[in-house]
Amino acid sequence: MPPDTVQLSKFLSFVLRHKPDAIGLTLDTQGWASIDELLTKSDAAGIRFNREDLLQIVETSDKKRFSLSQDGLHIRAAQGHSVTVALGLSPQEPPSILYHGTATRFVDSILSEGLKPQARQQVHLSADEATAYRVGQRHGKPVILKVDALRMHTKGFKFFLADNGVWLTDQVPPEFLHITALNQESFNSQTR
Ligand code: HQG
């Protein structure tokens, strides 16, 4: 029986972003894996699914986590990698403000040393606050940080837009970060 959709999506994130070698899979320099090889190697590792299952995940993933190559033979994660890949995205001018959702317990450190990619290759930002809130919730009590993206851009920082709409940049120094007013309030009351 194939794994359910959520399990399969998590498995794909695991091998396409973090640990391809867990099943002996090879990613090319841009993060692409051969779909045939992915199917064979997953099967050998006891995770059985077929091309249709895979295409369904690509289509229905809530965050459009995976992209197919134009010839339909390769798949990669749109973002979120910890393995070294060069996604081949061109730098783009970002909107004036981007958002980053995190947990209140990280805020002191972030405001003193800036946003860092941590285990991933780049810092992940979103164009809307609702997405940032959901991302922050994954880590604990959420807080949303506003990033002066356009001002960073004018100072030479590069921004990239992943296939699924997530904005990526190497780091965000503290001078470009603000806690949103609402969160500042709840953050203060929480830490009092
Ligand atoms: C925090 C998900 C202390 C940072 C999401 C975050 C996203 C710091 C955590 C994607 C720090 C890293 C990425 C500093 C950053 N001091 N903490 N200086 N700098 N941090 O999971 O952005 O569902 O690696 O705020 O939707 O939460 O997997 O990054 O809390 O798009 O598809 O360190 O993953 O997508 O956490 O999430 P993560 P993220 P998927």
Side-chain angles (χ1 to χ4, degrees), residues 141 154 156 190:
K141 188 169 164 46
T154 60
Q190 207 228 349

Side-chain angles (χ1 to χ4, degrees), residues 1-9 11 46-49 53 57:
M1 206 172 79
D4 76 26
T5 312
V6 173
Q7 275 179 325
L8 183 50
S9 176
F11 169 75
I47 314 277
R48 301 211 161 78
F49 55 94
D53 299 326
I57 298 277

